[in-house]
Amino acid sequence: MLFSLLYFNIKPSIAGDDSSYIIRAIHFLESDKFPTYQGPLYPLFLSLIIWITGMNLVILKLTSTVFMIGFIILFYKNFKNKISYISLFYTIGILSTSNYFLYFSSQTYSEAFFIFLQSIFFYLVFKGITHKSSSWKPNTKEVCLIVLTALLCVVLFLTRTVGFGAILAITVFYILQKQYARTFYITVVFTAMLVSFFTIRASAWDIPARSGEQSLQLLQKDPYNKSKGKEDLKGFLIRFKDNSNLYLSKHLMHITGLTSSSDRKTRPVLTLILYIIFALGIVVFARKSKPLFFTAIYLAIMLGITFFSLQKKWDQYRLIIFCSHGITYA
């Protein structure tokens, strides 16, 4: 909390995305224009704050501070007794002092909001993965947990497109654990909630389901020039290779303080080593720890979506900040 306040910046960033969330929130309040570019949930949340307090940039930024503090508390609660205290406090120490991470505690980007929601999602998942029987049948308490977990999956997806990886991760995990009943229940509930959202939105704002401008942009060869057409398989594989090097061997090293921010080099050998370590970790976690095995699956899917979908030219560390804490302790 101390470092968040010391690093607090009352000015908007020069990048523009943080201001665009606020603009979309204001448009929703004043013109009833539903946000469709990027995830709609964060602008809707900001519109609620603006409706209550008025347009006050400091208050909007303080919500990010609260989300970051909440994330640190839940991170400790989620992984206490699941990883060594050395790893736990090492990771918390990096997150609490790294300027790369603290930057988002005073910005109106969606990162702090998403990371906090993600930590709630992990809390719910960890509570629900202790059952061993493949013939699991839900009681009232377990149904509530399934519904809440599915709701968090929907909320993550509506906050950032990459959040769709949450439902993929939980279903893959349950399938690998032969928890087929759980897989069925959470998939059905998630689908029902998402369809309900799109139906309500379409009827209230006359917006078709396939209206995600950002999602369509990610599929293009050039996000700013539709005439170049859609990306092909080879292009997506090149994206994965290039982004792996950019975000693992450069940005992750900056976030953890292992290389200087002035070092702009990518190191393919380091990327390969990190992938090998991660793969070995998955094998070990699969045998020894369900929570850590799920965490590894979640990281693999979220980073996979990120690396396949992002354009190399974007090259912004904030695009993996939501996974940086997981990669750090892994």
Side-chain angles (χ1 to χ4, degrees), residues 219-252:
L219 299 176
Q220 297 170 192
K221 287 186 176 181
D222 187 328
Y224 310 112
N225 187 350
K226 290 183 179 180
S227 65
K228 292 186 178 181
K230 302 292 185 181
E231 189 67 272
D232 55 21
L233 177 60
K234 181 180 178 181
F236 282 116
L237 292 174
I238 291 173
R239 285 190 197 184
F240 183 85
K241 176 182 71 69
D242 291 341
N243 286 325
S244 293
N245 287 325
L246 283 171
Y247 291 101
L248 295 180
S249 71
K250 185 176 75 170
H251 291 304
L252 180 61

Side-chain angles (χ1 to χ4, degrees), residues 101-329:
F101 203 78
L102 290 173
Y103 173 78
F104 296 101
S105 64
S106 62
Q107 298 295 332
T108 53
Y109 288 106
S110 63
E111 271 71 12
F113 185 65
F114 185 87
I115 289 171
F116 177 67
L117 293 173
Q118 184 178 248
S119 63
I120 299 175
F121 170 68
F122 269 73
Y123 176 78
L124 293 172
V125 170
F126 286 176
K127 285 181 70 69
I129 61 176
T130 57
H131 298 271
K132 296 181 179 179
S133 174
S134 59
S135 59
W136 172 85
K137 294 182 180 179
N139 56 36
T140 302
K141 182 179 179 181
E142 290 162 343
V143 168
C144 290
L145 189 61
I146 285 286
V147 170
L148 288 173
T149 304
L151 176 61
L152 259 294
C153 289
V154 172
V155 166
L156 287 169
F157 173 60
L158 295 179
T159 302
R160 298 183 66 174
T161 306
V162 71
F164 188 72
I167 187 64
L168 294 179
I170 192 67
T171 53
V172 168
F173 175 80
Y174 283 149
I175 289 171
L176 292 176
Q177 296 293 309
K178 298 182 180 180
Q179 294 282 331
Y180 303 121
R182 282 177 171 271
T183 305
F184 174 76
Y185 275 93
I186 198 166
T187 303
V188 169
V189 174
F190 171 82
T191 303
M193 288 181 175
L194 200 58
V195 169
S196 299
F197 167 78
F198 286 132
T199 302
I200 293 170
R201 189 184 67 171
S203 61
W205 286 278
D206 194 26
I207 300 172
R210 294 187 64 182
S211 61
E213 299 172 41
Q214 188 185 42
S215 300
L216 296 175
Q217 194 180 52
L218 294 174
L219 299 176
Q220 297 170 192
K221 287 186 176 181
D222 187 328
Y224 310 112
N225 187 350
K226 290 183 179 180
S227 65
K228 292 186 178 181
K230 302 292 185 181
E231 189 67 272
D232 55 21
L233 177 60
K234 181 180 178 181
F236 282 116
L237 292 174
I238 291 173
R239 285 190 197 184
F240 183 85
K241 176 182 71 69
D242 291 341
N243 286 325
S244 293
N245 287 325
L246 283 171
Y247 291 101
L248 295 180
S249 71
K250 185 176 75 170
H251 291 304
L252 180 61
M253 297 300 105
H254 292 169
I255 293 169
T256 55
L258 295 177
T259 60
S260 169
S261 59
S262 61
D263 185 350
R264 311 302 296 174
K265 294 180 181 178
T266 59
R267 298 172 174 83
V269 174
L270 176 58
T271 302
L272 181 60
I273 291 172
L274 290 173
Y275 271 127
I276 292 172
I277 293 173
F278 185 73
L280 292 174
I282 290 179
V283 174
V284 173
F285 295 154
R287 297 175 179 176
K288 294 187 176 181
S289 172
K290 286 185 178 181
L292 295 185
F293 184 45
F294 169 77
T295 303
I297 292 172
Y298 181 86
L299 287 174
I301 289 176
M302 296 294 271
L303 289 176
I305 293 172
T306 301
F307 294 166
F308 274 115
S309 62
L310 293 183
Q311 297 283 348
K312 179 183 177 181
K313 66 177 70 176
W314 287 338
D315 192 15
Q316 301 175 50
Y317 81 91
R318 75 183 185 89
L319 298 173
I320 62 156
I321 200 71
F322 68 91
C323 276
S324 61
H325 56 287
I327 307 172
T328 298
Y329 75 73

